[in-house]
Amino acid sequence: MQALQYFEDCERCLEKAGAYKRLIHYKLNKANIYSTIGLYPLAEYIYNNLENIQSQVEEKRIILKIYECSSWCYLIQGKYKNALYRAKKAKDSGSKFPDIYITMAYANYKLGNWEESRHTIFQFRTRFSSNVRADFIRQFFVLLEKRIDQKPLPDYLVERLLKKLPDFRDVELEMVLYPFLTEYYQSIEDYKNASMIQSRWIKYLQFSGS
């Protein structure tokens, strides 16, 4: 929220200087902030404009970031087809960002494309070597695979992943994990745990919006 007060002056200075490449960075950052604070229509508007002018963008890295960031914006809104399309575009464009596999796996799961979700998880495991971020994502995929196989989620696996969330705030897995777990506990009529997860989700949203 504090950053937003500088954007108008920043845009005016960059336009005056003719720094058009930096303007692309500026617009992407602005869209990301809108997405982070929940102003999704404003974020989508900027992402879509950036996608439409990508032929003017010379830096491949920026094109990848546009797809990576917009895919997550659509995913956390439940717009799974849009999220999947952009995550695939990022992957096909050469993205090495591991988080897009969360988008592809979870979007396919929600769309009922369970084999596609399973295949995405397999690709993730074969393409990313062991590191702390990849290992964290792998733990979520273990739970997701169990739901695809219609198996119960072991309590110790759920708790282990929940404990790691504060160490990986930048992944923002909470926006996927909490509704995923709430849906699971409701499906098995474990309303105590469903309520507990929803309470954690509310606290997270309060924290992320501060």
Side-chain angles (χ1 to χ4, degrees), residues 37-53:
I37 63 178
L39 298 177
Y40 301 121
L42 295 177
E44 285 182 22
Y45 178 78
I46 297 174
Y47 287 136
N48 288 334
N49 282 343
L50 289 173
E51 288 179 32
N52 291 334
I53 65 167

Side-chain angles (χ1 to χ4, degrees), residues 18-26 58-59 62:
Y20 298 112
K21 186 176 292 186
R22 290 186 180 273
L23 271 170
I24 299 293
H25 288 265
Y26 152 82
E58 297 179 359
E59 291 187 66
I62 296 301

